[in-house]
Amino acid sequence: MCNGNRGEDLAFQSFSLLFIYKRDRFPQFPCLFLSVYFCVCVLSRSLDARGNPEVELLNLLSRMAHSGVHKDRGELRIHENLDELGTDLAEYIAELSEASVKERGVFAIAISGGSLIGLMGKLCEAPYNKTVDWAKWYVFWADERVVAKTHADSNYKLAKDGLLSKVPVVPSHVNSINDSVSAEEAADDYEFHVRQLVKTRTINVSDTSDCPKFDLILLGMGSDGHVASLFPNHPVLDEKDEWVTFITDSPKSPPERITFTLPVINSASNVVVVVTGESKAEAVHLAIDDVGADCLSLPARLVQPTKGKLAWFLDKLAASKLDEELEKCDYPLCMKNKVGASVQKLFLVLVSFRMDCDGGIVVHRKASPSGC
């Protein structure tokens, strides 16, 4: 058939074949089929204007095959390279910002340091530098090194140089630590400041405790599985009462730091953990996969929002040691599994064909018929 939208025609015929192929093997597959087909049909409305609908649909399926929901460990978003990850991360943050501003009038976001800031860089570019309501952002730090704000180790300096100085965030909405006091005093001061903003509901409050409920907490992860400044086997992992605590013996320099505690992190509406590089693949595996009780104390594995959403943004190298078994995922949402792989493989075959206007299939061995 040819209804004037080749992208939609391709979607219908390709997914019809896919439906026949899968329906008897996986009883739940019709649900996946209908969901995917609906999305493709909606998106394909704009495909003809972009040029090649087969390529656009293939790109869509490729992205879908690398994202999903892992049982008990949140959403996995796995990317081929850092550029794709940065683009997806910027879009994700922008969408959360828009939703929060519409619902509450503000967007309370807590960030960490390291390579995370560089990966947020696309927020400084079009369209986000213009479309994000930066005046409604309130920026906090999930952890900070107790050094001067001008010091090279300062997470504040890293964020200011790489992000905050490039977008119109209101300076008074940037909530950094007091860098002129001890680590203990800095933690106490920062917690007091956060408590004042919870009282005014600039930061929301948890439904299940008195903890602050940040709209988004963005974390990186070290090769040892640490997040924020919560390191393996450190006593601060057991802190239940304080919102912000301090350490003076960080295994990574500098030794003095302040950090959100696990109850605060797990009270957030959204927590995103961003991990890249092969050196962290083993820690990603231990933090996400079902590896038994041996790794339950790994800090990254202890990140589990009570009522919020957890998402992992990974590049292909960081995800290289993740388990592939189908039962590890919440079917049918997980596309990084055997179903997702088969969808992608079958589509690779299907897009080697081209639909003619009468509904026939023309193999790309000769020139395509004209008039289609």
Side-chain angles (χ1 to χ4, degrees):
M1 65 181 174
C2 188
N3 63 8
N5 188 317
R6 291 181 57 237
E8 189 166 325
D9 290 344
L10 177 65
F12 178 79
Q13 297 192 49
S14 299
F15 282 102
S16 293
L17 291 175
L18 177 61
F19 181 83
I20 294 169
Y21 175 73
K22 285 291 185 181
R23 65 182 176 188
D24 295 326
R25 298 187 63 188
F26 298 100
Q28 304 97 324
F29 190 79
C31 177
L32 175 61
F33 166 80
L34 293 174
S35 300
V36 172
Y37 173 61
F38 174 79
C39 293
V40 170
C41 285
V42 172
L43 291 174
S44 68
R45 293 291 180 181
S46 63
L47 293 183
D48 288 313
R50 299 182 186 178
N52 191 328
E54 289 94 334
V55 172
E56 294 294 339
L57 288 171
L58 178 58
N59 289 339
L60 170 65
L61 264 292
S62 178
R63 289 193 297 271
M64 290 175 59
H66 288 81
S67 65
V69 178
H70 193 289
K71 184 178 181 181
D72 300 326
R73 297 301 299 143
E75 179 184 5
L76 305 184
R77 301 170 77 105
I78 301 169
H79 302 82
E80 289 294 320
N81 53 58
L82 298 184
D83 187 66
E84 288 184 8
L85 190 156
T87 299
D88 190 29
L89 181 62
E91 179 65 21
Y92 192 88
I93 295 170
E95 289 178 355
L96 290 180
S97 172
E98 181 180 9
S100 179
V101 170
K102 285 183 178 179
E103 180 182 350
R104 304 201 307 113
V106 298
F107 181 54
I109 175 174
I111 58 179
S112 294
S115 60
L116 173 64
I117 301 301
L119 293 169
M120 296 173 66
K122 289 188 182 293
L123 286 169
C124 305
E125 303 171 3
Y128 308 111
N129 58 344
K130 301 295 185 182
T131 58
V132 170
D133 194 348
W134 296 104
K136 302 297 175 60
W137 276 43
Y138 284 77
V139 182
F140 302 82
W141 275 263
D143 73 314
E144 177 59 288
R145 290 87 178 270
V146 184
V147 295
K149 290 184 176 67
T150 56
H151 194 282
D153 288 332
S154 168
N155 285 343
Y156 167 83
K157 175 177 169 55
L158 183 64
K160 181 181 179 182
D161 293 347
L163 176 66
L164 301 178
S165 63
K166 301 177 181 181
V167 293
V169 173
V170 178
S172 62
H173 292 181
V174 177
N175 301 271
S176 58
I177 71 166
N178 183 347
D179 61 352
S180 63
V181 295
S182 68
E184 182 175 8
E185 292 172 314
D188 290 342
D189 179 77
Y190 206 58
E191 178 169 331
F192 177 81
H193 182 64
V194 170
R195 286 186 180 275
Q196 300 311 301
L197 293 176
V198 168
K199 288 181 179 179
T200 63
R201 292 300 186 267
T202 299
I203 306 170
N204 217 340
V205 64
S206 169
D207 302 330
T208 58
S209 68
D210 71 338
C211 280
K213 186 178 182 180
F214 285 89
D215 299 309
L216 172 62
I217 294 180
L218 274 168
L219 302 170
M221 187 190 76
S223 57
D224 59 354
H226 85 268
V227 291
S229 285
L230 301 171
F231 292 92
N233 304 313
H234 198 284
V236 298
L237 293 174
D238 298 321
E239 179 59 59
K240 298 294 189 295
D241 299 322
E242 304 295 334
W243 292 0
V244 184
T245 190
F246 71 98
I247 61 174
T248 58
D249 56 352
S250 167
K252 294 183 63 177
S253 180
E256 295 191 345
R257 304 170 176 226
I258 66 106
T259 182
F260 283 175
T261 58
L262 281 169
V264 170
I265 293 173
N266 288 332
S267 294
S269 294
N270 297 276
V271 179
V272 167
V273 186
V274 183
V275 193
T276 62
E278 189 175 10
S279 65
K280 299 179 181 180
E282 180 64 19
V284 168
H285 162 64
L286 296 176
I288 295 176
D289 287 326
D290 185 5
V291 292
D294 293 341
C295 293
L296 292 181
S297 61
L298 194 75
R301 196 170 185 90
L302 297 175
V303 174
Q304 186 64 62
T306 307
K307 297 183 70 174
K309 179 180 179 181
L310 173 63
W312 298 79
F313 281 70
L314 312 171
D315 70 350
K316 187 167 59 175
L317 294 176
S320 61
K321 293 188 178 181
L322 285 175
D323 290 343
E324 295 285 349
E325 288 85 345
L326 179 62
E327 61 269 22
K328 296 295 178 70
C329 296
D330 282 333
Y331 186 85
L333 293 177
C334 182
M335 294 294 291
K336 188 190 180 301
N337 55 32
K338 295 176 182 176
V339 174
S342 62
V343 169
Q344 190 176 22
K345 288 177 182 177
L346 184 57
F347 199 80
L348 284 169
V349 174
L350 291 173
V351 295
S352 67
F353 300 98
R354 189 167 180 262
M355 307 304 173
D356 68 11
C357 288
D358 296 320
I361 299 178
V362 179
V363 181
H364 277 280
R365 291 175 181 166
K366 301 179 181 179
S368 299
S370 61
C372 292

